[in-house]
Every structure is written in structure tokens, then in C-alpha cells.
Amino acid sequence: MVIEYLGISGVGKTTLAEKDYTKLLQGGKCVYWYSKDLYKNRGWLIRNIIKAGHVLLYSVNHLKWVIEYRDFLDAHIPNKKDTYTLLFNGIFLKKMLSFNKNPDDIYLFDEGALQYLWAIYLRSKQEMNMQDILNIKRIFGLPNKVKVLYASADTIERRLLSRNEFTQILKTSNLHTRIEYEQKKINQLLFLLKRENVEIEIVNNE
């Protein structure tokens, strides 16, 4: 079973994933979350070396899939720098999804396929359509369940400013307007996703 957390930066995806991870483990479930299991609190450099290793090995063994995903990105994103970032992260995600063999196991993703599709739309300024949902389904597969997190613009702004780290959304001149725009895009994504019978849970994360 794959559970994905969907929401804009600062809404609390990772925090909720960590709570669910702990609760599921305490309940005796076999649960995996690469942010915890793979990285194991390692430093930034070691984490990225591990990630790059997974990406390289998967690319060598699944070149046809990599080309398909790259073509999908090229068709949507004009900025090649953004394409390379999403390609690298997407290959890593595909590798992590490939571990999902036992239907009784639970896999948590605070950065999953739908989050990437949403990020693509933010970069491309295109309107969402059902065909891209189907493309993501073909390329990555859709999660069994999506937990969609919402919070007020004031709450998100406060969390972002308290992180002491750079977040792309902070570059905008009108943060509240940008937050509303990004949340609107998530709502559009959910409208299309409901047609694929994915379980959706709405979380008010104030």
C-alpha cells in the first residue's frame, strides 16, 4: 500500500508522515518511509551520495523508463534546469516505489508522483488535464491513498519563515497570493484524481 502526502511547502507533510510512521510501527505494521529508513539521520552529503547511487543504478537498468519520463518532462517544462531536477528526483522516487512488493506493507511518501505532477504544473503554467493523470499513472503508478494537507496562508508563512532555510516560495513578492495559487492547483489535481478512485483524506493542519 502506498500513501502519499500532498500539499504546498510549509503545510506539514513531513511532520504528519513522521507521526503516521511512528503510529503505524507501534501498531505492529510493516511500514517504510525512505526519509527515515534510508537516510537514518545521515548528513546532507551522505544522503545525496546514497540518492545518487540509487538513481545511477536504476537509470542503467531501466533506461527505457528514464527516457519516457524525460520526454514527459520535456513536453511540459521549458526550463531545462527544472527538468533535470525533476528527472533526478523522479528516478529516485521510481526506485523507492519499486520496493513495494507486498500488499500488506505500507510505504509513505512525503514527496511522491502527485507532488511532482503538481510541481510540473507550477513550473509550466499549463492547465491540468486528465491525460497527465493517466501519464503519471503509467509512469509511476498512483498511490492507494492521498493525504492532502491544508493550512491558512498565515500559518504556512509563519512555518516557512521559522525554518531558517531557503524555500522557493519565499522568493515571491506576494506570498499570500502565491500560496492561494498553489493550493488552487492542488484542488484541480484532486478533482481529476477522484476519477481514478484513489482514496483521498483531507487534513486541516493548522
Side-chain angles (χ1 to χ4, degrees), residues 16-82:
L16 180 59
E18 187 158 18
K19 289 179 180 178
D20 287 348
Y21 177 83
T22 301
K23 184 177 179 180
L24 288 165
L25 280 179
Q26 291 174 347
K29 299 294 185 180
C30 192
V31 56
Y32 301 91
W33 180 35
Y34 76 80
S35 296
K36 179 75 71 173
D37 296 320
L38 181 63
Y39 293 159
K40 298 185 185 302
N41 299 316
R42 296 181 173 97
W44 178 87
L45 179 59
I46 299 300
R47 291 200 307 268
N48 280 278
I49 291 173
I50 293 172
K51 191 171 183 178
H54 281 289
V55 169
L56 178 61
L57 288 174
Y58 194 87
S59 298
V60 169
N61 293 317
H62 300 85
L63 185 58
K64 184 177 179 180
W65 180 91
V66 172
I67 293 172
E68 180 184 14
Y69 181 47
R70 186 201 62 194
D71 290 344
F72 174 74
L73 294 175
D74 285 341
H76 289 76
I77 302 178
N79 189 325
K80 293 303 178 185
K81 182 179 179 180
D82 288 336

Side-chain angles (χ1 to χ4, degrees), residues 8-9 156 160 167-172 175 178-179 182:
I8 73 174
S9 297
I156 291 172
L160 290 174
T167 305
Q168 188 69 29
I169 194 174
L170 291 176
K171 290 179 66 177
T172 185
L175 186 58
R178 180 65 185 184
I179 288 171
E182 294 194 2

Side-chain angles (χ1 to χ4, degrees), residues 3-19:
I3 301 175
E4 180 175 342
Y5 300 81
L6 182 63
I8 73 174
S9 297
V11 79
K13 298 184 297 297
T14 302
T15 301
L16 180 59
E18 187 158 18
K19 289 179 180 178

Side-chain angles (χ1 to χ4, degrees), residues 140-177:
F140 288 104
L142 295 176
N144 304 99
K145 181 176 182 178
V146 182
K147 289 194 173 187
V148 188
L149 285 74
Y150 289 95
S152 68
D154 287 336
T155 298
I156 291 172
E157 181 178 13
R158 184 177 68 252
R159 288 173 180 164
L160 290 174
L161 293 173
S162 68
R163 282 182 175 181
N164 295 320
E165 63 182 35
F166 174 76
T167 305
Q168 188 69 29
I169 194 174
L170 291 176
K171 290 179 66 177
T172 185
S173 58
N174 190 325
L175 186 58
H176 280 223
T177 300

